[in-house]
Amino acid sequence: MTHYHIQKKRRAAFVEEWRNYQKTVIALADVDMAETARGTRVGVYVSEDGDRPTRTMDALAHEIDPGVTSTIHRHSWDAMVLVVAGRGWTEIDGQRIDWGPGDSLHLPAWSWHRSGNDGAETARYLSFSSEPMLATMGMSVLEDQGHTPFANLPGRPAFSSEIDGADPYSRRMRRLAREQRKRRSGRLHTNWDELELLPTPRGTRTTFLLDRAIGYEASGITMAMFEIGPGRGQSMHRHPGEAWLYVLEGEGHSYMGEEPEGGKNHPWRKGDLIVVDHFLWHQHFNDSPDGTAKVVRIHMFDSLLETMRVLMDPKVLFEEPPDHIRDAQAGNPHDIDWPAVERPTWP
């Protein structure tokens, strides 16, 4: 069989396999929580470890019971954490951060971290990590050190400092040293009480939770929250790459289709994960006539999507209707009587 035929067969089999994995909405009820060796319970929304493989980001749920402290571990990928219930703490490279519902954290690559619950109720949080992307390159490494005190653990991998010189090797050493210093000095925590949601032309009000725009230094994952007014919808758009949307509050439905019309509507409710597949037109609606809906959106933006934009130029990789259609779909967000931004509840 020729090189041509082998590659053609391989590509067809690969695409067919991944189409079979595709999900649109993963219901909270379908996320089975299992006891783990870390002392916590973990459930899978999207991950090969839960038989729902993905290529760039995963999405897991975690529970910590009162009085429990997890083992300490580190890994070669970074992760973002969104707390949805209870209060607890996470120690990142020896720095303790106390958190509550709605708070978010960044766990940098190779940082030692553990979490604990000193309260009276079970704490629950979600994690979104870049592990699948590193796994495609054979660079996913995980190290668990049980309950070893942080002071007895090795630091993050060392790197060489800058050296003088105009040759390519010297330039590379300076570039990578600067990058590592920047990556290791980023923000780690966003407190819910400090959030400010602002109206956008797409009919919602939004805020960043974790993003380079507010001081984080992640591998490319970005996390933002948008709120949809009662009976309203977000304007339609499409883009490449995987996107997860976790329903923090409310219920509604999402339109998804290869064209702006003729697709399907998919219902969702609090605790579900909406999966927006590659380059589908999509639009999210709040079905409640009274309350708002809050949705947390996770993209692999700064690395994967920006790289795709460069490689695919001049093809347009973010598309929305002309302004007059967008505005008609979105309505005027300033007409909505937005409620006070209160911490989420569970269930």
Side-chain angles (χ1 to χ4, degrees):
M1 187 177 290
T2 69
H3 162 270
Y4 168 83
H5 291 94
I6 291 174
Q7 281 201 334
K8 190 172 182 178
K9 183 178 180 181
R10 181 189 298 161
R11 289 167 183 156
F14 176 80
V15 170
E16 182 61 28
E17 178 185 4
W18 281 93
R19 283 177 178 168
N20 291 332
Y21 292 139
Q22 200 274 330
K23 302 288 184 182
T24 303
V25 175
I26 300 168
L28 172 63
D30 293 332
V31 179
D32 297 323
M33 305 301 293
E35 301 289 342
T36 73
R38 296 199 72 203
T40 64
R41 287 184 296 278
V42 176
V44 173
Y45 281 93
V46 184
S47 168
E48 186 172 352
D49 303 314
D51 300 322
R52 296 189 183 107
T54 176
R55 297 300 291 180
T56 60
M57 306 178 298
D58 59 16
L60 308 178
H62 308 254
E63 290 180 344
I64 308 178
D65 287 332
V68 170
T69 297
S70 74
T71 61
I72 192 165
H73 74 183
R74 66 177 179 177
H75 31 71
S76 56
W77 60 90
D78 70 334
M80 291 184 170
V81 169
L82 173 69
V83 181
V84 296
R87 291 187 175 273
W89 53 269
T90 296
E91 183 184 82
I92 305 173
D93 277 343
Q95 177 182 343
R96 172 171 166 146
I97 298 172
D98 295 306
W99 42 251
D103 286 8
S104 45
L105 301 92
H106 181 226
L107 306 176
W110 291 115
S111 64
W112 290 107
H113 54 277
R114 68 177 124 213
S115 296
N117 182 353
D118 297 336
E121 62 176 316
T122 296
R124 182 182 178 97
Y125 60 85
L126 277 74
S127 68
F128 307 96
S129 89
S130 58
E131 190 277 330
M133 186 168 68
L134 269 70
T136 63
M137 298 179 284
M139 297 175 65
S140 289
V141 180
L142 172 65
E143 181 181 6
D144 193 300
Q145 285 287 348
H147 294 283
T148 303
F150 171 73
N152 297 337
L153 297 170
R156 297 193 207 179
F159 61 92
S160 296
S161 300
E162 297 95 329
I163 60 174
D164 294 331
D167 61 281
Y169 186 70
S170 300
R171 293 178 61 181
R172 173 170 289 186
M173 286 189 67
R174 289 197 297 273
R175 173 172 60 85
L176 297 183
R178 287 194 298 266
E179 181 68 17
Q180 279 303 306
R181 289 195 176 91
K182 183 180 72 170
R183 294 282 183 180
R184 300 183 187 200
S185 63
R187 185 175 174 180
L188 297 177
H189 178 219
T190 298
N191 190 312
W192 176 274
D193 293 331
E194 299 172 357
L195 297 179
E196 180 184 14
L197 280 75
L198 300 175
T200 75
R202 292 168 67 185
T204 59
R205 63 173 185 168
T206 69
T207 185
F208 280 122
L209 298 180
L210 290 100
D211 188 87
R212 63 181 178 180
I214 56 172
Y216 286 91
E217 294 292 343
S219 63
I221 309 176
T222 176
M223 185 160 64
M225 181 174 67
F226 62 88
E227 187 172 18
I228 311 173
R232 302 285 284 268
Q234 182 193 53
S235 63
M236 185 175 291
H237 62 288
R238 66 175 179 171
H239 48 71
E242 298 168 314
W244 312 147
L245 294 98
Y246 176 77
V247 184
L248 193 63
E249 297 282 355
E251 58 183 345
H253 70 277
S254 295
Y255 168 87
M256 297 187 204
E258 295 182 5
E259 301 293 339
E261 297 180 344
K264 295 182 179 180
N265 290 315
H266 304 274
W268 43 257
R269 61 189 303 175
K270 181 175 182 174
D272 293 351
L273 187 78
I274 307 164
V275 178
V276 178
D277 201 14
H278 179 75
F279 223 56
L280 289 181
W281 286 102
H282 54 283
Q283 187 174 11
H284 310 292
F285 297 89
N286 177 6
D287 291 340
S288 171
D290 303 313
T292 64
K294 292 188 181 70
V295 178
V296 174
R297 184 267 297 150
I298 301 94
H299 279 173
M300 180 63 77
F301 183 83
D302 294 344
S303 54
L304 182 68
L305 293 188
E306 288 194 346
T307 299
M308 290 179 69
R309 286 180 177 178
V310 172
L311 296 178
M312 299 292 287
D313 184 67
K315 184 176 178 63
V316 176
L317 294 188
F318 177 85
E319 193 173 2
E320 60 182 345
D323 288 357
H324 69 284
I325 297 178
R326 178 203 65 194
D327 295 345
Q329 291 177 343
N332 186 354
H334 299 283
D335 291 342
I336 300 172
D337 184 17
W338 296 105
V341 182
E342 298 181 351
R343 285 185 180 268
T345 59
W346 185 267

mmCIF file of all heavy atoms in Angstrom, residues 126-168:
data_model
loop_
_atom_site.group_PDB
_atom_site.id
_atom_site.type_symbol
_atom_site.label_atom_id
_atom_site.label_comp_id
_atom_site.label_asym_id
_atom_site.label_seq_id
_atom_site.Cartn_x
_atom_site.Cartn_y
_atom_site.Cartn_z
ATOM 1 N N LEU A 126 -14.286 22.659 40.153
ATOM 2 C CA LEU A 126 -13.978 22.116 38.841
ATOM 3 C C LEU A 126 -12.564 22.498 38.465
ATOM 4 O O LEU A 126 -12.067 23.546 38.882
ATOM 5 C CB LEU A 126 -14.950 22.649 37.781
ATOM 6 C CG LEU A 126 -16.292 21.933 37.675
ATOM 7 C CD1 LEU A 126 -17.186 22.310 38.853
ATOM 8 C CD2 LEU A 126 -16.992 22.282 36.377
ATOM 9 N N SER A 127 -11.912 21.648 37.679
ATOM 10 C CA SER A 127 -10.596 21.985 37.137
ATOM 11 C C SER A 127 -10.628 21.836 35.625
ATOM 12 O O SER A 127 -11.285 20.941 35.080
ATOM 13 C CB SER A 127 -9.504 21.096 37.747
ATOM 14 O OG SER A 127 -9.653 19.755 37.315
ATOM 15 N N PHE A 128 -9.920 22.744 34.971
ATOM 16 C CA PHE A 128 -9.786 22.727 33.513
ATOM 17 C C PHE A 128 -8.288 22.810 33.224
ATOM 18 O O PHE A 128 -7.647 23.791 33.597
ATOM 19 C CB PHE A 128 -10.521 23.906 32.887
ATOM 20 C CG PHE A 128 -11.956 24.026 33.321
ATOM 21 C CD1 PHE A 128 -12.309 24.871 34.359
ATOM 22 C CD2 PHE A 128 -12.947 23.278 32.708
ATOM 23 C CE1 PHE A 128 -13.619 24.983 34.779
ATOM 24 C CE2 PHE A 128 -14.267 23.377 33.120
ATOM 25 C CZ PHE A 128 -14.610 24.233 34.161
ATOM 26 N N SER A 129 -7.740 21.786 32.577
ATOM 27 C CA SER A 129 -6.289 21.748 32.422
ATOM 28 C C SER A 129 -5.873 21.525 30.980
ATOM 29 O O SER A 129 -6.667 21.105 30.129
ATOM 30 C CB SER A 129 -5.687 20.657 33.315
ATOM 31 O OG SER A 129 -5.638 19.409 32.636
ATOM 32 N N SER A 130 -4.586 21.777 30.726
ATOM 33 C CA SER A 130 -3.999 21.593 29.394
ATOM 34 C C SER A 130 -3.367 20.212 29.232
ATOM 35 O O SER A 130 -2.621 19.988 28.286
ATOM 36 C CB SER A 130 -2.943 22.681 29.146
ATOM 37 O OG SER A 130 -1.935 22.649 30.144
ATOM 38 N N GLU A 131 -3.668 19.273 30.138
ATOM 39 C CA GLU A 131 -3.042 17.949 30.072
ATOM 40 C C GLU A 131 -3.237 17.257 28.728
ATOM 41 O O GLU A 131 -2.269 16.687 28.181
ATOM 42 C CB GLU A 131 -3.563 17.064 31.206
ATOM 43 C CG GLU A 131 -2.797 15.752 31.365
ATOM 44 C CD GLU A 131 -3.257 14.650 30.425
ATOM 45 O OE1 GLU A 131 -4.457 14.643 30.054
ATOM 46 O OE2 GLU A 131 -2.427 13.793 30.054
ATOM 47 N N PRO A 132 -4.432 17.269 28.120
ATOM 48 C CA PRO A 132 -4.578 16.571 26.835
ATOM 49 C C PRO A 132 -3.646 17.110 25.747
ATOM 50 O O PRO A 132 -3.145 16.342 24.929
ATOM 51 C CB PRO A 132 -6.047 16.809 26.473
ATOM 52 C CG PRO A 132 -6.724 17.017 27.785
ATOM 53 C CD PRO A 132 -5.739 17.781 28.608
ATOM 54 N N MET A 133 -3.418 18.422 25.736
ATOM 55 C CA MET A 133 -2.544 18.991 24.717
ATOM 56 C C MET A 133 -1.108 18.517 24.921
ATOM 57 O O MET A 133 -0.414 18.160 23.958
ATOM 58 C CB MET A 133 -2.601 20.518 24.745
ATOM 59 C CG MET A 133 -1.815 21.167 23.607
ATOM 60 S SD MET A 133 -2.133 22.915 23.403
ATOM 61 C CE MET A 133 -1.407 23.566 24.909
ATOM 62 N N LEU A 134 -0.640 18.467 26.187
ATOM 63 C CA LEU A 134 0.711 17.974 26.446
ATOM 64 C C LEU A 134 0.807 16.479 26.165
ATOM 65 O O LEU A 134 1.850 15.993 25.718
ATOM 66 C CB LEU A 134 1.126 18.276 27.884
ATOM 67 C CG LEU A 134 1.853 19.620 28.065
ATOM 68 C CD1 LEU A 134 0.909 20.790 27.855
ATOM 69 C CD2 LEU A 134 2.518 19.699 29.426
ATOM 70 N N ALA A 135 -0.296 15.754 26.411
ATOM 71 C CA ALA A 135 -0.276 14.311 26.162
ATOM 72 C C ALA A 135 -0.063 14.002 24.687
ATOM 73 O O ALA A 135 0.569 12.999 24.340
ATOM 74 C CB ALA A 135 -1.579 13.683 26.645
ATOM 75 N N THR A 136 -0.556 14.848 23.794
ATOM 76 C CA THR A 136 -0.372 14.598 22.364
ATOM 77 C C THR A 136 1.099 14.677 21.976
ATOM 78 O O THR A 136 1.508 14.124 20.957
ATOM 79 C CB THR A 136 -1.160 15.618 21.512
ATOM 80 O OG1 THR A 136 -0.651 16.935 21.744
ATOM 81 C CG2 THR A 136 -2.648 15.565 21.835
ATOM 82 N N MET A 137 1.914 15.353 22.801
ATOM 83 C CA MET A 137 3.344 15.477 22.523
ATOM 84 C C MET A 137 4.184 14.586 23.428
ATOM 85 O O MET A 137 5.416 14.670 23.439
ATOM 86 C CB MET A 137 3.776 16.936 22.694
ATOM 87 C CG MET A 137 3.080 17.885 21.739
ATOM 88 S SD MET A 137 3.567 19.608 21.963
ATOM 89 C CE MET A 137 2.658 20.032 23.462
ATOM 90 N N GLY A 138 3.527 13.733 24.230
ATOM 91 C CA GLY A 138 4.257 12.850 25.130
ATOM 92 C C GLY A 138 4.921 13.570 26.281
ATOM 93 O O GLY A 138 5.930 13.100 26.818
ATOM 94 N N MET A 139 4.353 14.714 26.713
ATOM 95 C CA MET A 139 4.990 15.539 27.737
ATOM 96 C C MET A 139 4.156 15.653 29.013
ATOM 97 O O MET A 139 4.404 16.526 29.834
ATOM 98 C CB MET A 139 5.266 16.934 27.171
ATOM 99 C CG MET A 139 6.246 16.916 26.003
ATOM 100 S SD MET A 139 6.485 18.529 25.233
ATOM 101 C CE MET A 139 7.264 19.430 26.577
ATOM 102 N N SER A 140 3.163 14.772 29.208
ATOM 103 C CA SER A 140 2.377 14.775 30.435
ATOM 104 C C SER A 140 3.102 13.973 31.508
ATOM 105 O O SER A 140 3.309 12.765 31.356
ATOM 106 C CB SER A 140 0.989 14.171 30.196
ATOM 107 O OG SER A 140 0.197 15.030 29.425
ATOM 108 N N VAL A 141 3.491 14.649 32.589
ATOM 109 C CA VAL A 141 4.223 14.012 33.691
ATOM 110 C C VAL A 141 3.530 14.378 34.996
ATOM 111 O O VAL A 141 3.233 15.554 35.240
ATOM 112 C CB VAL A 141 5.692 14.485 33.737
ATOM 113 C CG1 VAL A 141 6.430 13.812 34.889
ATOM 114 C CG2 VAL A 141 6.390 14.212 32.412
ATOM 115 N N LEU A 142 3.254 13.387 35.834
ATOM 116 C CA LEU A 142 2.569 13.590 37.113
ATOM 117 C C LEU A 142 3.402 12.979 38.225
ATOM 118 O O LEU A 142 3.885 11.852 38.112
ATOM 119 C CB LEU A 142 1.183 12.940 37.076
ATOM 120 C CG LEU A 142 0.391 12.880 38.375
ATOM 121 C CD1 LEU A 142 0.022 14.274 38.848
ATOM 122 C CD2 LEU A 142 -0.880 12.043 38.191
ATOM 123 N N GLU A 143 3.575 13.725 39.336
ATOM 124 C CA GLU A 143 4.341 13.245 40.494
ATOM 125 C C GLU A 143 3.543 13.514 41.758
ATOM 126 O O GLU A 143 3.220 14.654 42.068
ATOM 127 C CB GLU A 143 5.693 13.962 40.568
ATOM 128 C CG GLU A 143 6.561 13.495 41.720
ATOM 129 C CD GLU A 143 7.887 14.239 41.796
ATOM 130 O OE1 GLU A 143 8.095 15.198 41.017
ATOM 131 O OE2 GLU A 143 8.713 13.870 42.655
ATOM 132 N N ASP A 144 3.218 12.440 42.499
ATOM 133 C CA ASP A 144 2.483 12.558 43.758
ATOM 134 C C ASP A 144 3.427 12.222 44.907
ATOM 135 O O ASP A 144 4.119 11.201 44.879
ATOM 136 C CB ASP A 144 1.278 11.618 43.768
ATOM 137 C CG ASP A 144 0.310 11.914 44.901
ATOM 138 O OD1 ASP A 144 0.721 11.837 46.079
ATOM 139 O OD2 ASP A 144 -0.856 12.229 44.622
ATOM 140 N N GLN A 145 3.469 13.095 45.944
ATOM 141 C CA GLN A 145 4.368 12.893 47.084
ATOM 142 C C GLN A 145 3.600 12.705 48.386
ATOM 143 O O GLN A 145 4.109 13.025 49.459
ATOM 144 C CB GLN A 145 5.324 14.084 47.198
ATOM 145 C CG GLN A 145 6.438 14.093 46.166
ATOM 146 C CD GLN A 145 7.493 13.039 46.471
ATOM 147 O OE1 GLN A 145 7.519 12.449 47.556
ATOM 148 N NE2 GLN A 145 8.355 12.773 45.507
ATOM 149 N N GLY A 146 2.363 12.185 48.282
ATOM 150 C CA GLY A 146 1.606 11.875 49.484
ATOM 151 C C GLY A 146 1.386 13.091 50.353
ATOM 152 O O GLY A 146 0.901 14.126 49.897
ATOM 153 N N HIS A 147 1.758 12.970 51.630
ATOM 154 C CA HIS A 147 1.597 14.088 52.568
ATOM 155 C C HIS A 147 2.953 14.640 53.015
ATOM 156 O O HIS A 147 3.090 15.163 54.128
ATOM 157 C CB HIS A 147 0.758 13.643 53.771
ATOM 158 C CG HIS A 147 -0.663 13.326 53.399
ATOM 159 N ND1 HIS A 147 -1.609 14.299 53.160
ATOM 160 C CD2 HIS A 147 -1.283 12.137 53.174
ATOM 161 C CE1 HIS A 147 -2.763 13.741 52.829
ATOM 162 N NE2 HIS A 147 -2.588 12.416 52.837
ATOM 163 N N THR A 148 3.935 14.555 52.149
ATOM 164 C CA THR A 148 5.257 15.121 52.434
ATOM 165 C C THR A 148 5.146 16.628 52.651
ATOM 166 O O THR A 148 4.506 17.320 51.855
ATOM 167 C CB THR A 148 6.217 14.843 51.266
ATOM 168 O OG1 THR A 148 6.275 13.435 51.036
ATOM 169 C CG2 THR A 148 7.596 15.384 51.562
ATOM 170 N N PRO A 149 5.752 17.184 53.705
ATOM 171 C CA PRO A 149 5.731 18.638 53.893
ATOM 172 C C PRO A 149 6.372 19.354 52.716
ATOM 173 O O PRO A 149 7.350 18.865 52.131
ATOM 174 C CB PRO A 149 6.534 18.845 55.185
ATOM 175 C CG PRO A 149 6.447 17.537 55.901
ATOM 176 C CD PRO A 149 6.411 16.490 54.828
ATOM 177 N N PHE A 150 5.846 20.507 52.378
ATOM 178 C CA PHE A 150 6.351 21.245 51.229
ATOM 179 C C PHE A 150 7.845 21.538 51.353
ATOM 180 O O PHE A 150 8.588 21.483 50.362
ATOM 181 C CB PHE A 150 5.573 22.556 51.058
ATOM 182 C CG PHE A 150 6.162 23.471 50.025
ATOM 183 C CD1 PHE A 150 6.051 23.187 48.683
ATOM 184 C CD2 PHE A 150 6.866 24.613 50.410
ATOM 185 C CE1 PHE A 150 6.605 24.020 47.720
ATOM 186 C CE2 PHE A 150 7.430 25.450 49.465
ATOM 187 C CZ PHE A 150 7.294 25.155 48.102
ATOM 188 N N ALA A 151 8.307 21.822 52.570
ATOM 189 C CA ALA A 151 9.718 22.165 52.772
ATOM 190 C C ALA A 151 10.658 21.035 52.374
ATOM 191 O O ALA A 151 11.844 21.268 52.106
ATOM 192 C CB ALA A 151 9.953 22.552 54.234
ATOM 193 N N ASN A 152 10.160 19.809 52.333
ATOM 194 C CA ASN A 152 11.004 18.662 51.992
ATOM 195 C C ASN A 152 10.921 18.267 50.515
ATOM 196 O O ASN A 152 11.496 17.256 50.117
ATOM 197 C CB ASN A 152 10.606 17.454 52.848
ATOM 198 C CG ASN A 152 10.827 17.709 54.334
ATOM 199 O OD1 ASN A 152 11.623 18.560 54.716
ATOM 200 N ND2 ASN A 152 10.108 16.966 55.165
ATOM 201 N N LEU A 153 10.218 19.057 49.714
ATOM 202 C CA LEU A 153 10.027 18.723 48.311
ATOM 203 C C LEU A 153 10.984 19.511 47.418
ATOM 204 O O LEU A 153 11.365 20.634 47.760
ATOM 205 C CB LEU A 153 8.581 19.039 47.890
ATOM 206 C CG LEU A 153 7.486 18.244 48.600
ATOM 207 C CD1 LEU A 153 6.115 18.808 48.274
ATOM 208 C CD2 LEU A 153 7.562 16.773 48.209
ATOM 209 N N PRO A 154 11.386 18.956 46.284
ATOM 210 C CA PRO A 154 12.232 19.717 45.363
ATOM 211 C C PRO A 154 11.448 20.857 44.730
ATOM 212 O O PRO A 154 10.217 20.802 44.625
ATOM 213 C CB PRO A 154 12.627 18.675 44.317
ATOM 214 C CG PRO A 154 11.532 17.664 44.347
ATOM 215 C CD PRO A 154 11.076 17.596 45.776
ATOM 216 N N GLY A 155 12.147 21.889 44.306
ATOM 217 C CA GLY A 155 11.497 23.014 43.657
ATOM 218 C C GLY A 155 11.119 22.696 42.233
ATOM 219 O O GLY A 155 11.334 21.582 41.737
ATOM 220 N N ARG A 156 10.581 23.686 41.569
ATOM 221 C CA ARG A 156 10.257 23.502 40.159
ATOM 222 C C ARG A 156 11.545 23.279 39.364
ATOM 223 O O ARG A 156 12.630 23.639 39.820
ATOM 224 C CB ARG A 156 9.531 24.733 39.608
ATOM 225 C CG ARG A 156 8.187 24.999 40.256
ATOM 226 C CD ARG A 156 7.411 26.018 39.437
ATOM 227 N NE ARG A 156 6.472 26.767 40.259
ATOM 228 C CZ ARG A 156 5.690 27.736 39.799
ATOM 229 N NH1 ARG A 156 5.755 28.078 38.520
ATOM 230 N NH2 ARG A 156 4.867 28.378 40.608
ATOM 231 N N PRO A 157 11.451 22.683 38.175
ATOM 232 C CA PRO A 157 12.667 22.440 37.375
ATOM 233 C C PRO A 157 13.495 23.711 37.220
ATOM 234 O O PRO A 157 12.953 24.793 36.958
ATOM 235 C CB PRO A 157 12.101 21.969 36.036
ATOM 236 C CG PRO A 157 10.780 21.356 36.382
ATOM 237 C CD PRO A 157 10.235 22.185 37.509
ATOM 238 N N ALA A 158 14.781 23.565 37.386
ATOM 239 C CA ALA A 158 15.666 24.725 37.276
ATOM 240 C C ALA A 158 15.821 25.150 35.825
ATOM 241 O O ALA A 158 15.576 24.376 34.898
ATOM 242 C CB ALA A 158 17.031 24.383 37.864
ATOM 243 N N PHE A 159 16.231 26.412 35.632
ATOM 244 C CA PHE A 159 16.534 26.901 34.287
ATOM 245 C C PHE A 159 17.743 27.825 34.379
ATOM 246 O O PHE A 159 18.003 28.427 35.410
ATOM 247 C CB PHE A 159 15.334 27.632 33.671
ATOM 248 C CG PHE A 159 14.883 28.852 34.429
ATOM 249 C CD1 PHE A 159 15.377 30.109 34.111
ATOM 250 C CD2 PHE A 159 13.953 28.742 35.452
ATOM 251 C CE1 PHE A 159 14.965 31.242 34.808
ATOM 252 C CE2 PHE A 159 13.529 29.860 36.149
ATOM 253 C CZ PHE A 159 14.035 31.115 35.825
ATOM 254 N N SER A 160 18.480 27.917 33.293
ATOM 255 C CA SER A 160 19.692 28.739 33.266
ATOM 256 C C SER A 160 19.344 30.212 33.095
ATOM 257 O O SER A 160 18.358 30.566 32.438
ATOM 258 C CB SER A 160 20.611 28.304 32.125
ATOM 259 O OG SER A 160 21.057 26.983 32.332
ATOM 260 N N SER A 161 20.158 31.049 33.691
ATOM 261 C CA SER A 161 19.961 32.495 33.577
ATOM 262 C C SER A 161 20.437 32.988 32.217
ATOM 263 O O SER A 161 21.074 32.255 31.448
ATOM 264 C CB SER A 161 20.718 33.219 34.693
ATOM 265 O OG SER A 161 20.257 32.815 35.959
ATOM 266 N N GLU A 162 20.147 34.267 31.948
ATOM 267 C CA GLU A 162 20.559 34.863 30.683
ATOM 268 C C GLU A 162 22.087 34.940 30.589
ATOM 269 O O GLU A 162 22.773 35.056 31.601
ATOM 270 C CB GLU A 162 19.991 36.279 30.544
ATOM 271 C CG GLU A 162 18.484 36.348 30.493
ATOM 272 C CD GLU A 162 17.843 36.613 31.845
ATOM 273 O OE1 GLU A 162 18.406 36.183 32.884
ATOM 274 O OE2 GLU A 162 16.786 37.251 31.863
ATOM 275 N N ILE A 163 22.587 34.847 29.368
ATOM 276 C CA ILE A 163 24.009 35.068 29.113
ATOM 277 C C ILE A 163 24.141 36.080 27.975
ATOM 278 O O ILE A 163 23.231 36.255 27.170
ATOM 279 C CB ILE A 163 24.741 33.761 28.729
ATOM 280 C CG1 ILE A 163 24.141 33.154 27.451
ATOM 281 C CG2 ILE A 163 24.714 32.779 29.874
ATOM 282 C CD1 ILE A 163 24.914 31.956 26.937
ATOM 283 N N ASP A 164 25.269 36.766 27.940
ATOM 284 C CA ASP A 164 25.521 37.730 26.868
ATOM 285 C C ASP A 164 25.851 36.993 25.579
ATOM 286 O O ASP A 164 26.278 35.841 25.585
ATOM 287 C CB ASP A 164 26.687 38.650 27.243
ATOM 288 C CG ASP A 164 26.363 39.545 28.429
ATOM 289 O OD1 ASP A 164 25.158 39.861 28.593
ATOM 290 O OD2 ASP A 164 27.293 39.912 29.177
ATOM 291 N N GLY A 165 25.646 37.695 24.484
ATOM 292 C CA GLY A 165 25.982 37.121 23.191
ATOM 293 C C GLY A 165 24.900 37.353 22.176
ATOM 294 O O GLY A 165 23.712 37.455 22.521
ATOM 295 N N ALA A 166 25.278 37.441 20.917
ATOM 296 C CA ALA A 166 24.332 37.666 19.831
ATOM 297 C C ALA A 166 24.045 36.391 19.046
ATOM 298 O O ALA A 166 23.288 36.410 18.079
ATOM 299 C CB ALA A 166 24.867 38.742 18.890
ATOM 300 N N ASP A 167 24.647 35.258 19.443
ATOM 301 C CA ASP A 167 24.444 34.016 18.715
ATOM 302 C C ASP A 167 23.081 33.411 19.052
ATOM 303 O O ASP A 167 22.467 33.761 20.071
ATOM 304 C CB ASP A 167 25.555 33.028 19.078
ATOM 305 C CG ASP A 167 25.537 32.705 20.567
ATOM 306 O OD1 ASP A 167 26.048 33.556 21.351
ATOM 307 O OD2 ASP A 167 24.989 31.648 20.940
ATOM 308 N N PRO A 168 22.570 32.508 18.233
ATOM 309 C CA PRO A 168 21.237 31.935 18.458
ATOM 310 C C PRO A 168 21.077 31.248 19.818
ATOM 311 O O PRO A 168 20.014 31.332 20.441
ATOM 312 C CB PRO A 168 21.087 30.932 17.301
ATOM 313 C CG PRO A 168 21.948 31.484 16.224
ATOM 314 C CD PRO A 168 23.129 32.083 16.925
#
